[in-house]
PDB file of all heavy atoms in Angstrom:
ATOM      1  N   LEU A   1      49.282  39.351  46.700  1.00  0.00           N
ATOM      2  CA  LEU A   1      50.601  39.336  47.338  1.00  0.00           C
ATOM      3  C   LEU A   1      51.678  39.910  46.422  1.00  0.00           C
ATOM      4  O   LEU A   1      52.647  40.516  46.897  1.00  0.00           O
ATOM      5  CB  LEU A   1      50.960  37.913  47.752  1.00  0.00           C
ATOM      6  CG  LEU A   1      50.085  37.309  48.861  1.00  0.00           C
ATOM      7  CD1 LEU A   1      50.461  35.866  49.117  1.00  0.00           C
ATOM      8  CD2 LEU A   1      50.216  38.120  50.146  1.00  0.00           C
ATOM      9  N   SER A   2      51.534  39.733  45.106  1.00  0.00           N
ATOM     10  CA  SER A   2      52.537  40.273  44.178  1.00  0.00           C
ATOM     11  C   SER A   2      52.532  41.797  44.165  1.00  0.00           C
ATOM     12  O   SER A   2      53.525  42.419  43.780  1.00  0.00           O
ATOM     13  CB  SER A   2      52.285  39.747  42.764  1.00  0.00           C
ATOM     14  OG  SER A   2      51.052  40.224  42.260  1.00  0.00           O
ATOM     15  N   GLU A   3      51.421  42.418  44.594  1.00  0.00           N
ATOM     16  CA  GLU A   3      51.349  43.878  44.633  1.00  0.00           C
ATOM     17  C   GLU A   3      52.203  44.467  45.747  1.00  0.00           C
ATOM     18  O   GLU A   3      52.376  45.679  45.828  1.00  0.00           O
ATOM     19  CB  GLU A   3      49.891  44.321  44.793  1.00  0.00           C
ATOM     20  CG  GLU A   3      49.034  44.008  43.566  1.00  0.00           C
ATOM     21  CD  GLU A   3      47.582  44.393  43.746  1.00  0.00           C
ATOM     22  OE1 GLU A   3      47.223  44.850  44.858  1.00  0.00           O
ATOM     23  OE2 GLU A   3      46.804  44.242  42.788  1.00  0.00           O
ATOM     24  N   PHE A   4      52.759  43.626  46.618  1.00  0.00           N
ATOM     25  CA  PHE A   4      53.686  44.082  47.649  1.00  0.00           C
ATOM     26  C   PHE A   4      55.142  43.917  47.209  1.00  0.00           C
ATOM     27  O   PHE A   4      56.051  44.204  47.978  1.00  0.00           O
ATOM     28  CB  PHE A   4      53.467  43.297  48.952  1.00  0.00           C
ATOM     29  CG  PHE A   4      52.180  43.637  49.652  1.00  0.00           C
ATOM     30  CD1 PHE A   4      51.018  42.953  49.358  1.00  0.00           C
ATOM     31  CD2 PHE A   4      52.141  44.655  50.592  1.00  0.00           C
ATOM     32  CE1 PHE A   4      49.840  43.260  50.009  1.00  0.00           C
ATOM     33  CE2 PHE A   4      50.966  44.967  51.245  1.00  0.00           C
ATOM     34  CZ  PHE A   4      49.802  44.268  50.943  1.00  0.00           C
ATOM     35  N   HIS A   5      55.378  43.432  45.983  1.00  0.00           N
ATOM     36  CA  HIS A   5      56.730  43.181  45.502  1.00  0.00           C
ATOM     37  C   HIS A   5      57.037  44.057  44.294  1.00  0.00           C
ATOM     38  O   HIS A   5      56.160  44.366  43.488  1.00  0.00           O
ATOM     39  CB  HIS A   5      56.892  41.710  45.100  1.00  0.00           C
ATOM     40  CG  HIS A   5      56.787  40.751  46.253  1.00  0.00           C
ATOM     41  ND1 HIS A   5      55.576  40.424  46.814  1.00  0.00           N
ATOM     42  CD2 HIS A   5      57.720  40.062  46.936  1.00  0.00           C
ATOM     43  CE1 HIS A   5      55.771  39.561  47.805  1.00  0.00           C
ATOM     44  NE2 HIS A   5      57.064  39.328  47.905  1.00  0.00           N
ATOM     45  N   SER A   6      58.292  44.436  44.186  1.00  0.00           N
ATOM     46  CA  SER A   6      58.728  45.202  43.029  1.00  0.00           C
ATOM     47  C   SER A   6      58.900  44.268  41.841  1.00  0.00           C
ATOM     48  O   SER A   6      58.889  43.042  41.982  1.00  0.00           O
ATOM     49  CB  SER A   6      60.061  45.896  43.333  1.00  0.00           C
ATOM     50  OG  SER A   6      61.078  44.928  43.585  1.00  0.00           O
ATOM     51  N   ALA A   7      59.080  44.863  40.651  1.00  0.00           N
ATOM     52  CA  ALA A   7      59.225  44.057  39.437  1.00  0.00           C
ATOM     53  C   ALA A   7      60.428  43.123  39.513  1.00  0.00           C
ATOM     54  O   ALA A   7      60.428  42.037  38.928  1.00  0.00           O
ATOM     55  CB  ALA A   7      59.350  44.983  38.224  1.00  0.00           C
ATOM     56  N   LYS A   8      61.445  43.509  40.277  1.00  0.00           N
ATOM     57  CA  LYS A   8      62.665  42.707  40.389  1.00  0.00           C
ATOM     58  C   LYS A   8      62.398  41.362  41.044  1.00  0.00           C
ATOM     59  O   LYS A   8      63.021  40.349  40.700  1.00  0.00           O
ATOM     60  CB  LYS A   8      63.716  43.484  41.193  1.00  0.00           C
ATOM     61  CG  LYS A   8      65.017  42.736  41.415  1.00  0.00           C
ATOM     62  CD  LYS A   8      65.979  43.568  42.248  1.00  0.00           C
ATOM     63  CE  LYS A   8      67.274  42.798  42.526  1.00  0.00           C
ATOM     64  NZ  LYS A   8      68.214  43.590  43.366  1.00  0.00           N
ATOM     65  N   TYR A   9      61.458  41.313  41.980  1.00  0.00           N
ATOM     66  CA  TYR A   9      61.236  40.091  42.761  1.00  0.00           C
ATOM     67  C   TYR A   9      59.939  39.371  42.413  1.00  0.00           C
ATOM     68  O   TYR A   9      59.657  38.315  42.977  1.00  0.00           O
ATOM     69  CB  TYR A   9      61.203  40.429  44.257  1.00  0.00           C
ATOM     70  CG  TYR A   9      62.495  41.010  44.773  1.00  0.00           C
ATOM     71  CD1 TYR A   9      62.613  42.372  45.026  1.00  0.00           C
ATOM     72  CD2 TYR A   9      63.604  40.206  44.982  1.00  0.00           C
ATOM     73  CE1 TYR A   9      63.806  42.908  45.499  1.00  0.00           C
ATOM     74  CE2 TYR A   9      64.794  40.725  45.449  1.00  0.00           C
ATOM     75  CZ  TYR A   9      64.885  42.082  45.702  1.00  0.00           C
ATOM     76  OH  TYR A   9      66.060  42.606  46.152  1.00  0.00           O
ATOM     77  N   LYS A  10      59.136  39.918  41.492  1.00  0.00           N
ATOM     78  CA  LYS A  10      57.831  39.320  41.221  1.00  0.00           C
ATOM     79  C   LYS A  10      57.945  37.910  40.642  1.00  0.00           C
ATOM     80  O   LYS A  10      57.184  37.015  41.010  1.00  0.00           O
ATOM     81  CB  LYS A  10      57.023  40.210  40.272  1.00  0.00           C
ATOM     82  CG  LYS A  10      56.315  41.354  40.986  1.00  0.00           C
ATOM     83  CD  LYS A  10      55.382  42.095  40.059  1.00  0.00           C
ATOM     84  CE  LYS A  10      54.639  43.193  40.831  1.00  0.00           C
ATOM     85  NZ  LYS A  10      53.700  43.932  39.976  1.00  0.00           N
ATOM     86  N   ALA A  11      58.880  37.697  39.716  1.00  0.00           N
ATOM     87  CA  ALA A  11      59.021  36.382  39.099  1.00  0.00           C
ATOM     88  C   ALA A  11      59.422  35.335  40.138  1.00  0.00           C
ATOM     89  O   ALA A  11      58.857  34.233  40.187  1.00  0.00           O
ATOM     90  CB  ALA A  11      60.042  36.435  37.973  1.00  0.00           C
ATOM     91  N   ARG A  12      60.379  35.677  41.004  1.00  0.00           N
ATOM     92  CA  ARG A  12      60.822  34.748  42.025  1.00  0.00           C
ATOM     93  C   ARG A  12      59.700  34.487  43.033  1.00  0.00           C
ATOM     94  O   ARG A  12      59.502  33.352  43.488  1.00  0.00           O
ATOM     95  CB  ARG A  12      62.052  35.298  42.745  1.00  0.00           C
ATOM     96  CG  ARG A  12      62.687  34.313  43.720  1.00  0.00           C
ATOM     97  CD  ARG A  12      63.832  34.973  44.467  1.00  0.00           C
ATOM     98  NE  ARG A  12      64.837  35.523  43.562  1.00  0.00           N
ATOM     99  CZ  ARG A  12      65.870  36.247  43.966  1.00  0.00           C
ATOM    100  NH1 ARG A  12      66.031  36.516  45.262  1.00  0.00           N
ATOM    101  NH2 ARG A  12      66.738  36.712  43.096  1.00  0.00           N
ATOM    102  N   PHE A  13      58.964  35.550  43.369  1.00  0.00           N
ATOM    103  CA  PHE A  13      57.859  35.376  44.301  1.00  0.00           C
ATOM    104  C   PHE A  13      56.780  34.467  43.716  1.00  0.00           C
ATOM    105  O   PHE A  13      56.213  33.621  44.420  1.00  0.00           O
ATOM    106  CB  PHE A  13      57.237  36.730  44.658  1.00  0.00           C
ATOM    107  CG  PHE A  13      55.874  36.610  45.273  1.00  0.00           C
ATOM    108  CD1 PHE A  13      55.730  36.215  46.588  1.00  0.00           C
ATOM    109  CD2 PHE A  13      54.733  36.863  44.525  1.00  0.00           C
ATOM    110  CE1 PHE A  13      54.479  36.079  47.152  1.00  0.00           C
ATOM    111  CE2 PHE A  13      53.479  36.730  45.081  1.00  0.00           C
ATOM    112  CZ  PHE A  13      53.357  36.347  46.402  1.00  0.00           C
ATOM    113  N   ALA A  14      56.488  34.633  42.403  1.00  0.00           N
ATOM    114  CA  ALA A  14      55.467  33.801  41.767  1.00  0.00           C
ATOM    115  C   ALA A  14      55.841  32.328  41.854  1.00  0.00           C
ATOM    116  O   ALA A  14      54.980  31.462  42.061  1.00  0.00           O
ATOM    117  CB  ALA A  14      55.273  34.228  40.320  1.00  0.00           C
ATOM    118  N   MET A  15      57.122  32.020  41.697  1.00  0.00           N
ATOM    119  CA  MET A  15      57.562  30.628  41.758  1.00  0.00           C
ATOM    120  C   MET A  15      57.352  30.061  43.160  1.00  0.00           C
ATOM    121  O   MET A  15      56.801  28.964  43.334  1.00  0.00           O
ATOM    122  CB  MET A  15      59.038  30.535  41.372  1.00  0.00           C
ATOM    123  CG  MET A  15      59.587  29.113  41.372  1.00  0.00           C
ATOM    124  SD  MET A  15      61.328  29.055  40.882  1.00  0.00           S
ATOM    125  CE  MET A  15      62.105  29.874  42.286  1.00  0.00           C
ATOM    126  N   TRP A  16      57.761  30.811  44.189  1.00  0.00           N
ATOM    127  CA  TRP A  16      57.628  30.322  45.559  1.00  0.00           C
ATOM    128  C   TRP A  16      56.175  30.295  46.010  1.00  0.00           C
ATOM    129  O   TRP A  16      55.764  29.383  46.732  1.00  0.00           O
ATOM    130  CB  TRP A  16      58.464  31.186  46.502  1.00  0.00           C
ATOM    131  CG  TRP A  16      59.923  30.915  46.398  1.00  0.00           C
ATOM    132  CD1 TRP A  16      60.858  31.670  45.766  1.00  0.00           C
ATOM    133  CD2 TRP A  16      60.627  29.784  46.928  1.00  0.00           C
ATOM    134  NE1 TRP A  16      62.110  31.087  45.872  1.00  0.00           N
ATOM    135  CE2 TRP A  16      61.992  29.928  46.583  1.00  0.00           C
ATOM    136  CE3 TRP A  16      60.238  28.659  47.651  1.00  0.00           C
ATOM    137  CZ2 TRP A  16      62.954  29.002  46.937  1.00  0.00           C
ATOM    138  CZ3 TRP A  16      61.202  27.730  48.012  1.00  0.00           C
ATOM    139  CH2 TRP A  16      62.545  27.903  47.658  1.00  0.00           C
ATOM    140  N   SER A  17      55.386  31.262  45.595  1.00  0.00           N
ATOM    141  CA  SER A  17      53.970  31.256  45.976  1.00  0.00           C
ATOM    142  C   SER A  17      53.243  30.111  45.291  1.00  0.00           C
ATOM    143  O   SER A  17      52.334  29.499  45.879  1.00  0.00           O
ATOM    144  CB  SER A  17      53.308  32.584  45.608  1.00  0.00           C
ATOM    145  OG  SER A  17      53.329  32.788  44.209  1.00  0.00           O
ATOM    146  N   GLY A  18      53.641  29.800  44.044  1.00  0.00           N
ATOM    147  CA  GLY A  18      53.050  28.653  43.367  1.00  0.00           C
ATOM    148  C   GLY A  18      53.340  27.361  44.103  1.00  0.00           C
ATOM    149  O   GLY A  18      52.482  26.472  44.213  1.00  0.00           O
ATOM    150  N   LEU A  19      54.549  27.242  44.643  1.00  0.00           N
ATOM    151  CA  LEU A  19      54.896  26.060  45.435  1.00  0.00           C
ATOM    152  C   LEU A  19      54.032  25.989  46.687  1.00  0.00           C
ATOM    153  O   LEU A  19      53.525  24.924  47.056  1.00  0.00           O
ATOM    154  CB  LEU A  19      56.376  26.099  45.815  1.00  0.00           C
ATOM    155  CG  LEU A  19      56.853  24.990  46.762  1.00  0.00           C
ATOM    156  CD1 LEU A  19      56.749  23.638  46.087  1.00  0.00           C
ATOM    157  CD2 LEU A  19      58.283  25.247  47.224  1.00  0.00           C
ATOM    158  N   ALA A  20      53.842  27.127  47.351  1.00  0.00           N
ATOM    159  CA  ALA A  20      53.038  27.153  48.573  1.00  0.00           C
ATOM    160  C   ALA A  20      51.591  26.768  48.286  1.00  0.00           C
ATOM    161  O   ALA A  20      50.962  26.020  49.053  1.00  0.00           O
ATOM    162  CB  ALA A  20      53.100  28.545  49.210  1.00  0.00           C
ATOM    163  N   VAL A  21      51.046  27.251  47.161  1.00  0.00           N
ATOM    164  CA  VAL A  21      49.672  26.908  46.805  1.00  0.00           C
ATOM    165  C   VAL A  21      49.559  25.423  46.475  1.00  0.00           C
ATOM    166  O   VAL A  21      48.610  24.743  46.874  1.00  0.00           O
ATOM    167  CB  VAL A  21      49.199  27.778  45.614  1.00  0.00           C
ATOM    168  CG1 VAL A  21      47.850  27.293  45.106  1.00  0.00           C
ATOM    169  CG2 VAL A  21      49.105  29.237  46.029  1.00  0.00           C
ATOM    170  N   ASN A  22      50.548  24.883  45.745  1.00  0.00           N
ATOM    171  CA  ASN A  22      50.495  23.471  45.367  1.00  0.00           C
ATOM    172  C   ASN A  22      50.610  22.539  46.569  1.00  0.00           C
ATOM    173  O   ASN A  22      50.107  21.414  46.537  1.00  0.00           O
ATOM    174  CB  ASN A  22      51.615  23.144  44.364  1.00  0.00           C
ATOM    175  CG  ASN A  22      51.319  23.692  42.983  1.00  0.00           C
ATOM    176  OD1 ASN A  22      50.162  23.858  42.613  1.00  0.00           O
ATOM    177  ND2 ASN A  22      52.349  23.976  42.213  1.00  0.00           N
ATOM    178  N   THR A  23      51.279  22.998  47.624  1.00  0.00           N
ATOM    179  CA  THR A  23      51.374  22.142  48.809  1.00  0.00           C
ATOM    180  C   THR A  23      50.013  21.915  49.457  1.00  0.00           C
ATOM    181  O   THR A  23      49.865  21.024  50.297  1.00  0.00           O
ATOM    182  CB  THR A  23      52.320  22.756  49.858  1.00  0.00           C
ATOM    183  OG1 THR A  23      51.906  24.105  50.158  1.00  0.00           O
ATOM    184  CG2 THR A  23      53.757  22.775  49.361  1.00  0.00           C
ATOM    185  N   GLY A  24      49.025  22.711  49.049  1.00  0.00           N
ATOM    186  CA  GLY A  24      47.683  22.524  49.568  1.00  0.00           C
ATOM    187  C   GLY A  24      47.105  21.155  49.255  1.00  0.00           C
ATOM    188  O   GLY A  24      46.236  20.664  49.985  1.00  0.00           O
ATOM    189  N   ILE A  25      47.568  20.518  48.171  1.00  0.00           N
ATOM    190  CA  ILE A  25      47.026  19.196  47.840  1.00  0.00           C
ATOM    191  C   ILE A  25      47.584  18.121  48.772  1.00  0.00           C
ATOM    192  O   ILE A  25      47.058  16.997  48.804  1.00  0.00           O
ATOM    193  CB  ILE A  25      47.329  18.824  46.375  1.00  0.00           C
ATOM    194  CG1 ILE A  25      48.831  18.605  46.153  1.00  0.00           C
ATOM    195  CG2 ILE A  25      46.786  19.853  45.427  1.00  0.00           C
ATOM    196  CD1 ILE A  25      49.166  18.119  44.762  1.00  0.00           C
ATOM    197  N   ILE A  26      48.631  18.456  49.538  1.00  0.00           N
ATOM    198  CA  ILE A  26      49.196  17.481  50.475  1.00  0.00           C
ATOM    199  C   ILE A  26      48.354  17.400  51.741  1.00  0.00           C
ATOM    200  O   ILE A  26      48.170  16.317  52.311  1.00  0.00           O
ATOM    201  CB  ILE A  26      50.643  17.850  50.825  1.00  0.00           C
ATOM    202  CG1 ILE A  26      51.509  17.887  49.563  1.00  0.00           C
ATOM    203  CG2 ILE A  26      51.242  16.878  51.828  1.00  0.00           C
ATOM    204  CD1 ILE A  26      52.918  18.370  49.803  1.00  0.00           C
ATOM    205  N   VAL A  27      47.822  18.541  52.180  1.00  0.00           N
ATOM    206  CA  VAL A  27      47.125  18.610  53.463  1.00  0.00           C
ATOM    207  C   VAL A  27      45.934  17.659  53.538  1.00  0.00           C
ATOM    208  O   VAL A  27      45.810  16.892  54.510  1.00  0.00           O
ATOM    209  CB  VAL A  27      46.701  20.066  53.764  1.00  0.00           C
ATOM    210  CG1 VAL A  27      45.895  20.126  55.055  1.00  0.00           C
ATOM    211  CG2 VAL A  27      47.925  20.960  53.850  1.00  0.00           C
ATOM    212  N   PRO A  28      45.002  17.645  52.556  1.00  0.00           N
ATOM    213  CA  PRO A  28      43.862  16.724  52.680  1.00  0.00           C
ATOM    214  C   PRO A  28      44.279  15.263  52.755  1.00  0.00           C
ATOM    215  O   PRO A  28      43.659  14.478  53.483  1.00  0.00           O
ATOM    216  CB  PRO A  28      43.045  17.004  51.406  1.00  0.00           C
ATOM    217  CG  PRO A  28      43.461  18.358  50.971  1.00  0.00           C
ATOM    218  CD  PRO A  28      44.901  18.484  51.349  1.00  0.00           C
ATOM    219  N   ALA A  29      45.322  14.893  51.998  1.00  0.00           N
ATOM    220  CA  ALA A  29      45.773  13.499  52.021  1.00  0.00           C
ATOM    221  C   ALA A  29      46.357  13.128  53.383  1.00  0.00           C
ATOM    222  O   ALA A  29      46.087  12.043  53.910  1.00  0.00           O
ATOM    223  CB  ALA A  29      46.803  13.270  50.917  1.00  0.00           C
ATOM    224  N   VAL A  30      47.146  14.031  53.964  1.00  0.00           N
ATOM    225  CA  VAL A  30      47.749  13.754  55.268  1.00  0.00           C
ATOM    226  C   VAL A  30      46.671  13.655  56.347  1.00  0.00           C
ATOM    227  O   VAL A  30      46.683  12.736  57.186  1.00  0.00           O
ATOM    228  CB  VAL A  30      48.782  14.845  55.629  1.00  0.00           C
ATOM    229  CG1 VAL A  30      49.278  14.650  57.050  1.00  0.00           C
ATOM    230  CG2 VAL A  30      49.951  14.812  54.654  1.00  0.00           C
ATOM    231  N   VAL A  31      45.721  14.595  56.332  1.00  0.00           N
ATOM    232  CA  VAL A  31      44.646  14.578  57.325  1.00  0.00           C
ATOM    233  C   VAL A  31      43.794  13.321  57.161  1.00  0.00           C
ATOM    234  O   VAL A  31      43.381  12.689  58.148  1.00  0.00           O
ATOM    235  CB  VAL A  31      43.778  15.847  57.208  1.00  0.00           C
ATOM    236  CG1 VAL A  31      42.601  15.790  58.181  1.00  0.00           C
ATOM    237  CG2 VAL A  31      44.620  17.087  57.486  1.00  0.00           C
ATOM    238  N   ALA A  32      43.527  12.933  55.913  1.00  0.00           N
ATOM    239  CA  ALA A  32      42.760  11.710  55.671  1.00  0.00           C
ATOM    240  C   ALA A  32      43.492  10.485  56.204  1.00  0.00           C
ATOM    241  O   ALA A  32      42.884   9.571  56.775  1.00  0.00           O
ATOM    242  CB  ALA A  32      42.491  11.559  54.176  1.00  0.00           C
ATOM    243  N   PHE A  33      44.803  10.448  56.010  1.00  0.00           N
ATOM    244  CA  PHE A  33      45.615   9.332  56.505  1.00  0.00           C
ATOM    245  C   PHE A  33      45.531   9.222  58.029  1.00  0.00           C
ATOM    246  O   PHE A  33      45.501   8.125  58.589  1.00  0.00           O
ATOM    247  CB  PHE A  33      47.057   9.517  56.057  1.00  0.00           C
ATOM    248  CG  PHE A  33      48.030   8.549  56.682  1.00  0.00           C
ATOM    249  CD1 PHE A  33      48.019   7.210  56.349  1.00  0.00           C
ATOM    250  CD2 PHE A  33      48.953   8.992  57.619  1.00  0.00           C
ATOM    251  CE1 PHE A  33      48.905   6.320  56.928  1.00  0.00           C
ATOM    252  CE2 PHE A  33      49.848   8.116  58.208  1.00  0.00           C
ATOM    253  CZ  PHE A  33      49.815   6.774  57.857  1.00  0.00           C
ATOM    254  N   LEU A  34      45.464  10.375  58.700  1.00  0.00           N
ATOM    255  CA  LEU A  34      45.446  10.382  60.157  1.00  0.00           C
ATOM    256  C   LEU A  34      44.053  10.142  60.744  1.00  0.00           C
ATOM    257  O   LEU A  34      43.935   9.617  61.858  1.00  0.00           O
ATOM    258  CB  LEU A  34      45.985  11.723  60.678  1.00  0.00           C
ATOM    259  CG  LEU A  34      47.449  12.051  60.341  1.00  0.00           C
ATOM    260  CD1 LEU A  34      47.778  13.463  60.800  1.00  0.00           C
ATOM    261  CD2 LEU A  34      48.390  11.044  60.991  1.00  0.00           C
ATOM    262  N   VAL A  35      42.993  10.500  60.005  1.00  0.00           N
ATOM    263  CA  VAL A  35      41.648  10.511  60.597  1.00  0.00           C
ATOM    264  C   VAL A  35      40.753   9.388  60.067  1.00  0.00           C
ATOM    265  O   VAL A  35      40.167   8.623  60.842  1.00  0.00           O
ATOM    266  CB  VAL A  35      40.976  11.882  60.354  1.00  0.00           C
ATOM    267  CG1 VAL A  35      39.537  11.870  60.852  1.00  0.00           C
ATOM    268  CG2 VAL A  35      41.766  12.989  61.040  1.00  0.00           C
ATOM    269  N   LEU A  36      40.626   9.264  58.747  1.00  0.00           N
ATOM    270  CA  LEU A  36      39.579   8.423  58.166  1.00  0.00           C
ATOM    271  C   LEU A  36      39.654   6.935  58.531  1.00  0.00           C
ATOM    272  O   LEU A  36      38.609   6.302  58.701  1.00  0.00           O
ATOM    273  CB  LEU A  36      39.568   8.590  56.644  1.00  0.00           C
ATOM    274  CG  LEU A  36      39.033   9.935  56.153  1.00  0.00           C
ATOM    275  CD1 LEU A  36      39.062  10.007  54.639  1.00  0.00           C
ATOM    276  CD2 LEU A  36      37.619  10.164  56.655  1.00  0.00           C
ATOM    277  N   PRO A  37      40.829   6.318  58.626  1.00  0.00           N
ATOM    278  CA  PRO A  37      40.834   4.882  58.953  1.00  0.00           C
ATOM    279  C   PRO A  37      40.380   4.558  60.376  1.00  0.00           C
ATOM    280  O   PRO A  37      40.177   3.385  60.696  1.00  0.00           O
ATOM    281  CB  PRO A  37      42.311   4.485  58.758  1.00  0.00           C
ATOM    282  CG  PRO A  37      42.894   5.544  57.886  1.00  0.00           C
ATOM    283  CD  PRO A  37      42.178   6.801  58.267  1.00  0.00           C
ATOM    284  N   ASN A  38      40.228   5.549  61.222  1.00  0.00           N
ATOM    285  CA  ASN A  38      39.862   5.300  62.618  1.00  0.00           C
ATOM    286  C   ASN A  38      38.355   5.066  62.758  1.00  0.00           C
ATOM    287  O   ASN A  38      37.549   5.595  61.986  1.00  0.00           O
ATOM    288  CB  ASN A  38      40.277   6.484  63.496  1.00  0.00           C
ATOM    289  CG  ASN A  38      41.780   6.695  63.497  1.00  0.00           C
ATOM    290  OD1 ASN A  38      42.536   5.939  64.082  1.00  0.00           O
ATOM    291  ND2 ASN A  38      42.233   7.755  62.823  1.00  0.00           N
ATOM    292  N   SER A  39      37.979   4.304  63.742  1.00  0.00           N
ATOM    293  CA  SER A  39      36.560   4.027  64.031  1.00  0.00           C
ATOM    294  C   SER A  39      36.063   4.942  65.148  1.00  0.00           C
ATOM    295  O   SER A  39      35.481   4.483  66.136  1.00  0.00           O
ATOM    296  CB  SER A  39      36.382   2.559  64.426  1.00  0.00           C
ATOM    297  OG  SER A  39      37.196   2.241  65.546  1.00  0.00           O
ATOM    298  N   TRP A  40      36.296   6.234  64.999  1.00  0.00           N
ATOM    299  CA  TRP A  40      35.909   7.199  66.020  1.00  0.00           C
ATOM    300  C   TRP A  40      34.400   7.439  65.995  1.00  0.00           C
ATOM    301  O   TRP A  40      33.759   7.396  64.936  1.00  0.00           O
ATOM    302  CB  TRP A  40      36.651   8.513  65.822  1.00  0.00           C
ATOM    303  CG  TRP A  40      38.138   8.415  66.056  1.00  0.00           C
ATOM    304  CD1 TRP A  40      38.787   7.451  66.753  1.00  0.00           C
ATOM    305  CD2 TRP A  40      39.142   9.309  65.575  1.00  0.00           C
ATOM    306  NE1 TRP A  40      40.137   7.688  66.760  1.00  0.00           N
ATOM    307  CE2 TRP A  40      40.387   8.825  66.044  1.00  0.00           C
ATOM    308  CE3 TRP A  40      39.121  10.461  64.809  1.00  0.00           C
ATOM    309  CZ2 TRP A  40      41.585   9.469  65.762  1.00  0.00           C
ATOM    310  CZ3 TRP A  40      40.311  11.109  64.530  1.00  0.00           C
ATOM    311  CH2 TRP A  40      41.531  10.618  65.006  1.00  0.00           C
TER     312      TRP A  40
END
């Protein structure tokens, strides 16, 4: 994705993309909260 950005915006993009990647650790916890306690 950084190959689509110029040098001016690469640092800012890296910060926001890092945030987006880190939010991935939220998804399994939320899905587990919604699904696992059920007796389906």
Side-chain angles (χ1 to χ4, degrees):
L1 294 176
S2 65
E3 292 178 357
F4 289 89
H5 294 76
S6 63
K8 178 181 178 181
Y9 298 104
K10 278 188 177 181
R12 187 184 304 174
F13 163 76
M15 181 179 68
W16 285 103
S17 63
L19 174 65
V21 172
N22 286 333
T23 54
I25 68 175
I26 301 175
V27 176
V30 173
V31 176
F33 171 70
L34 297 174
V35 175
L36 288 180
N38 297 287
S39 57
W40 293 340

